[in-house]
Amino acid sequence: MAGIKVFGHPASTATRRVLIALHEKELDFELVHIDLKDGEHKKEPFLSRNPFGKIPAFEDGGFKLFESRAITQYIAHEYADKGNQLLSPGSKNMAILAMGMEIEAHEFDSVASKLGWEQIFKNFFGLTTDQAVVKEEEVKLGKVLDNYEARLGESKYLACDHFTLVDLHHIPVIQYLLGTPTKKLFDERPHVSAWVADITSRPSSQKVLL
Amino acid sequence: MAMKVYGNGMSVCVARVLLCLHEKETEFELVPVDLFACHHKLPSFLSMNPFGQVPVLQDDDLTLFESRAITAYIAEKHKDKGTDLTRHADAKEAAIVKLWSEVESHHFNPAISAVIHQLIVVPLQGKTPDAAIVEENLEKLGKVLDVYEEKLGKTKYLAGDSYTLADLHHVPYTYYFMKTCHAGLVNDRPKVKAWWEDLCSRPAFLKVSPGLTVAPATN
């Protein structure tokens, strides 16, 4: 059997999103390292895996996918009986999950990724952090986290009372932000802070850290 | 009791939900929300969606927001009637639909929404469109449409040979885009153009498009 392969980079947040899901499901896989510095993701053969030239790409015994959140959902459904439950049964519970995933993608990640880029990834490329952007984006993130604080006051995790894909999708970028001054935004909100401590201490979250 | 959708037919994100409801032949009630009077920022609305955005769906005791979560819920709840929008019967097929839905969400939407924001929303606020933002995003959108042109040469719709949510989610923004002077981005790509014309021929589209009444400022 060809098995599961992930084509990406161990430091990439989107790649880590998929790796954490695979660890939660206790699945064996191979991480095929794509050389971003060399532009491998913008050339063949990678472009045949993802014509948008972004990591990760994924393969499960010949079945190919890209887009990290489509991959994690495939893993969660296809391997529903293995490892930890990442979904919530019933159409209304799945709708709440879907809503939580959309909020992460459209409200949280758009802002949090900018903060990660400015404060961490720009340094890898020898560029300077733009503090004005950081300040602006922290205001936006604060508002999103206010909504999360209210939600986590009612529910242990974002979608329901157990850990699901909604929480998982947040982990990689939060892990990076905890190493920056933006950490204070999480610390200042008690329910958010407890949730962050919980999701980042899971064994699967720890496994993706270098 | 019929589902309630809070929002207005001219809103892109509301239209996404309305298209889905019509494809699923599901009854609903549209409850208008006066955005110009900022009713979406009132506590009564924020208690339904703390992010203060339309649409919101109410189905008995369930309140949902985020248009693509709403369409996923409607498609799943009514999976046995109307158009099969998710290919739910096969996990791999369903994953491909999700993949191209993610593509719309993360590649197509940011570029096209930035263009529409400049050409339609900004003038409504009494300001001048930023030409640099328009140009930058038209370039990004062009690259996305190049990928679509290639994909639609292999399959009739984005996720395969049948219409799914992956196609549906594109419709409202594309409809507004085609009213601008940049419609050539679609019309110059034969496969994308044919796909768009097909999407416009669907009965659900013909019911929703009259509500998409906003027009770009003359440009």
Side-chain angles (χ1 to χ4, degrees), chain A residues 41-42 46-47 50-55:
Chain A
H41 53 314
K42 303 291 181 192
F46 186 82
L47 284 180
N50 181 355
F52 294 93
K54 295 205 166 168
I55 55 171

Side-chain angles (χ1 to χ4, degrees), chain A:
Chain A
M1 193 171 84
I4 293 175
K5 290 184 188 175
V6 180
F7 300 82
H9 192 287
S12 140
T13 51
T15 302
R16 285 182 176 183
R17 200 171 275 133
V18 172
L19 302 184
I20 293 172
L22 290 165
H23 288 307
E24 287 285 337
K25 289 299 187 181
E26 296 160 14
L27 295 167
D28 290 330
F29 64 90
E30 181 192 346
L31 175 61
V32 178
H33 197 127
I34 299 295
D35 191 340
L36 302 179
K37 283 215 185 82
D38 198 41
E40 193 181 342
H41 53 314
K42 303 291 181 192
K43 300 188 268 210
E44 292 295 357
F46 186 82
L47 284 180
S48 297
R49 294 190 175 277
N50 181 355
F52 294 93
K54 295 205 166 168
I55 55 171
F58 173 88
E59 189 175 327
D60 183 3
F63 174 63
K64 294 174 187 170
L65 280 181
F66 56 93
E67 288 297 324
S68 64
R69 296 170 186 85
I71 298 168
T72 57
Q73 287 181 69
Y74 165 75
I75 291 165
H77 284 280
E78 183 71 0
Y79 297 99
D81 297 333
K82 294 203 76 178
N84 293 322
Q85 175 59 257
L86 294 176
L87 304 169
S88 192
S91 68
K92 285 184 178 166
N93 288 335
M94 281 307 296
I96 304 284
L97 222 89
M99 183 167 74
M101 288 194 284
E102 290 297 308
I103 294 166
E104 180 275 327
H106 293 285
E107 308 291 340
F108 178 86
D109 192 64
S110 48
V111 176
S113 292
K114 280 192 187 130
L115 286 165
W117 166 251
E118 282 299 329
Q119 298 179 99
I120 296 172
F121 294 104
K122 260 178 133 172
N123 296 333
F124 289 165
F125 297 104
L127 302 167
T128 325
T129 301
D130 183 338
Q131 291 298 345
V133 171
V134 170
K135 198 169 163 189
E136 194 184 320
E137 297 300 318
E138 281 187 343
V139 170
K140 292 179 193 169
L141 183 61
K143 290 181 180 159
V144 174
L145 292 180
D146 285 341
N147 285 338
Y148 280 24
E149 182 68 8
R151 174 63 185 154
L152 292 164
E154 297 162 356
S155 172
K156 189 173 181 209
Y157 295 93
L158 284 174
C160 59
D161 285 328
H162 66 85
F163 179 83
T164 66
L165 283 187
V166 177
D167 311 287
L168 188 156
H169 286 173
H170 289 80
I171 295 170
V173 80
I174 287 180
Q175 284 175 324
Y176 277 117
L177 292 180
L178 291 177
T180 72
T182 305
K183 177 177 188 290
K184 64 183 180 295
L185 296 184
F186 301 105
D187 292 343
E188 284 164 355
R189 293 163 175 83
H191 295 120
V192 168
S193 178
W195 169 74
V196 163
D198 182 306
I199 63 176
T200 55
S201 64
R202 292 177 77 85
S204 59
S205 308
Q206 295 289 310
K207 282 184 184 146
V208 299
L209 295 175
L210 297 172

Side-chain angles (χ1 to χ4, degrees), chain A residues 50-52 54 60 63-67 69-70 73-74 77-78 91-92 95-96 98-100 102-103 105-107 143-144 147-148, chain B residues 50-51 53 59-66 68-69 72-73 76 91-92 95-96 98-100 102-103 105-107 109 144 147-148:
Chain A
N50 181 355
F52 294 93
K54 295 205 166 168
D60 183 3
F63 174 63
K64 294 174 187 170
L65 280 181
F66 56 93
E67 288 297 324
R69 296 170 186 85
Q73 287 181 69
Y74 165 75
H77 284 280
E78 183 71 0
S91 68
K92 285 184 178 166
I96 304 284
M99 183 167 74
E102 290 297 308
I103 294 166
H106 293 285
E107 308 291 340
K143 290 181 180 159
V144 174
N147 285 338
Y148 280 24
Chain B
F51 293 93
Q53 293 169 328
D59 185 18
D60 293 330
D61 57 343
L62 176 70
T63 300
L64 274 189
F65 53 92
E66 290 296 326
R68 296 172 189 82
Y73 170 68
E76 171 61 25
K92 292 185 163 109
I96 301 289
K98 290 214 177 94
L99 185 167
W100 287 94
E102 289 292 304
V103 167
S105 190
H106 295 285
H107 296 278
N109 190 68
V144 173
V147 175
Y148 285 17

Side-chain angles (χ1 to χ4, degrees), chain B residues 107-124:
Chain B
H107 296 278
F108 180 86
N109 190 68
I112 200 169
S113 63
V115 172
I116 296 301
H117 185 79
Q118 291 303 317
L119 296 183
I120 296 184
V121 178
V122 159
L124 288 174

